[in-house]
Amino acid sequence: MRSNEGRSLRWSDIDLDAGTVTISEDKAKNHREAKLPLNGWLVTQLLSRQGSPADYVFPARCSNGYVNNLRRPLAELHKRSGLRITPHDLRRTYATYLDSTGAPFGVIKQLLNHVSGSDITAHYVQKRGIDELRVHVDR
């Protein structure tokens, strides 16, 4: 997910029984809803901190109700590791990892919720089902 898509998630966006998360079109950068699989490890982590459906998954005491920025945790990560990392770096790392596991380009694109307006072939290739996406997320 993009940083804001993840930070602003509500529990109502997550279906732990089905192991999915939905990014609503009003939150998605491309304004298209995306339903994505969660891997088993992440479902376990979310179950351990589950809140009410109206609440944010990553709550904070600020005007919008969720973690507004990641400046402090990223600064702490830099202090401990010496690495300067942005949320977008994590998206690129995830895409690279998916590629290294043999995930098809279309799967990577769908899991990143990318859309290319000029990619005519993408109009012909059907989106993968949640079970096929889950195979790659579980890797």
Side-chain angles (χ1 to χ4, degrees):
M1 288 185 191
R2 292 170 181 88
S3 178
N4 190 55
E5 294 167 351
R7 289 182 291 110
S8 64
L9 277 176
R10 292 182 181 268
W11 285 107
S12 58
D13 299 324
I14 297 173
D15 182 341
L16 292 171
D17 293 329
T20 60
V21 60
T22 301
I23 304 168
S24 62
E25 61 187 34
D26 61 312
K27 289 181 188 171
K29 180 180 175 185
N30 62 15
H31 306 290
R32 294 187 184 180
E33 183 179 281
K35 187 175 198 173
L36 303 171
L38 300 170
N39 66 33
W41 178 85
L42 190 50
V43 169
T44 301
Q45 297 302 308
L46 291 169
L47 279 169
S48 72
R49 58 177 292 152
Q50 189 173 10
S52 80
D55 294 336
Y56 289 103
V57 176
F58 304 104
R61 295 176 192 229
C62 60
S63 62
N64 58 11
Y66 59 86
V67 173
N68 196 32
N69 72 57
L70 301 172
R71 191 175 19 239
R72 283 190 201 133
L74 292 175
E76 181 65 22
L77 182 63
H78 172 66
K79 180 179 158 187
R80 291 181 184 205
S81 69
L83 300 172
R84 291 203 185 272
I85 297 173
T86 69
H88 207 75
D89 291 333
L90 300 175
R91 279 178 61 82
R92 285 190 287 271
T93 300
Y94 182 57
T96 301
Y97 180 76
L98 286 168
D99 183 61
S100 74
T101 67
F105 180 75
V107 167
I108 296 169
K109 188 172 180 174
Q110 191 174 342
L111 287 171
L112 293 176
N113 198 20
H114 275 174
V115 177
S116 297
S118 62
D119 188 353
I120 300 301
T121 306
H123 295 289
Y124 292 90
V125 176
Q126 299 296 308
K127 286 193 172 203
R128 295 342 197 261
I130 204 83
D131 291 332
E132 184 178 345
L133 292 175
R134 188 178 315 282
V135 167
H136 299 287
V137 169
D138 286 343
R139 285 187 185 159

